Amino acid sequence: MKIIDANTRLAEKGGAKILIVGLSGVGKTSLLRTLSEEMLASTLFVDIEAGDIAVSDLSVASVRPRTWVECRNLACVLGGFNPALPATAAYSEAHFNEVMKNPELAQLGARFTVLFVDSLTAAGRLCFTWSEQQPDAFTDRGRKDLRAIYGLHARAMLGWLNQLQHARERTVIFVAVLEKNTDERRDRHHAVDRFRRSQARARLCLHQS
């Protein structure tokens, strides 16, 4: 482990990690227009949401991941490999070397210093779909194991976010959709409340098993 002296650390170029949260249609993606032309030239628009109409005329490079594997490969290239991980794990050195064999992915690391990820919500859906299909998501009798699926989902999403967090030199802008829901008593709740209720149900399943 190398000790980084104060002058070296202060001279490093570090990127901010930003989260934009809002209801659908309020203009979250449109904030991409606020970037200068110079910044847009080094920005990669990660269009997972398939909702780029608001910026369809904007001169910015983009990628459109359709699967969780593609999202992981992208994060591996942009964040580099994690030396603490075994060769079989995502974001390991072996994973990084394999992904870098793809010339289109390999060029991303050097070209872009700003990532605009639209959105965390869509990425979470891709991750959950992937989690449901893994062998560990099923019991010995072949039934879906809800606890295992949520566990896989949580570990995969946190690993992905951690990978992008460690892209120190890059600015990463995450977009997330905030939903409003009305329950049977006509009370309105935001998505974070619904997520907490889902967590409570998962814990209940854990205690009952």
Side-chain angles (χ1 to χ4, degrees):
M1 181 173 61
K2 181 181 178 181
I3 296 177
I4 302 172
D5 63 66
N7 291 331
T8 302
R9 188 181 65 81
L10 291 173
E12 286 180 337
K13 293 183 178 180
K17 305 300 182 285
I18 302 167
L19 176 63
I20 301 171
V21 181
L23 299 172
S24 296
V26 298
K28 300 182 298 297
T29 304
S30 297
L31 289 175
L32 193 55
R33 293 182 175 277
T34 64
L35 301 182
S36 66
E37 290 187 10
E38 182 181 358
M39 289 190 69
L40 282 175
S42 60
T43 296
L44 180 65
F45 177 36
V46 185
D47 183 17
I48 310 173
E49 190 77 34
D52 62 344
I53 295 178
V55 292
S56 59
D57 61 335
L58 200 62
S59 180
V60 60
S62 67
V63 291
R64 295 169 179 170
R66 297 293 302 277
T67 68
W68 181 242
V69 172
E70 290 178 340
C71 289
R72 289 197 313 185
N73 289 345
L74 183 64
C76 188
V77 168
L78 297 172
F81 65 86
N82 184 341
L85 296 176
T88 55
Y91 317 122
S92 65
E93 185 173 4
H95 180 202
F96 178 81
N97 291 336
E98 184 63 28
V99 172
M100 290 297 285
K101 293 178 182 178
N102 184 321
E104 291 191 1
L105 286 176
Q107 67 171 326
L108 297 180
R111 284 185 58 188
F112 302 106
T113 57
V114 180
L115 308 177
F116 193 94
V117 182
D118 190 9
S119 64
L120 281 181
T121 309
R125 294 192 194 107
L126 292 180
C127 182
F128 191 81
T129 299
W130 172 87
S131 300
E132 287 184 303
Q133 299 170 0
Q134 300 312 297
D136 290 345
F138 297 88
T139 66
D140 295 338
R141 297 183 179 181
R143 296 179 179 178
K144 283 190 175 182
D145 186 337
L146 185 61
R147 289 181 300 146
I149 292 171
Y150 274 107
L152 286 166
H153 183 219
R155 290 192 296 274
M157 278 301 295
L158 288 174
W160 188 67
L161 291 170
N162 183 67
Q163 182 69 11
L164 293 174
Q165 173 71 21
H166 279 77
R168 289 181 176 274
E169 72 283 5
R170 306 183 200 280
T171 293
V172 185
I173 304 169
F174 295 104
V175 173
V177 178
L178 186 66
E179 297 179 348
K180 275 189 176 181
N181 303 282
T182 303
D183 61 22
E184 61 276 4
R185 296 180 301 178
R186 297 184 179 180
D187 292 331
R188 291 184 176 181
H189 302 276
H190 290 91
V192 64
D193 297 322
R194 185 175 65 177
F195 177 67
R196 287 173 180 168
R197 292 198 297 273
S198 297
Q199 283 185 316
R201 287 195 296 269
R203 286 194 293 269
L204 180 61
C205 290
L206 178 61
H207 291 308
Q208 289 177 341
S209 62

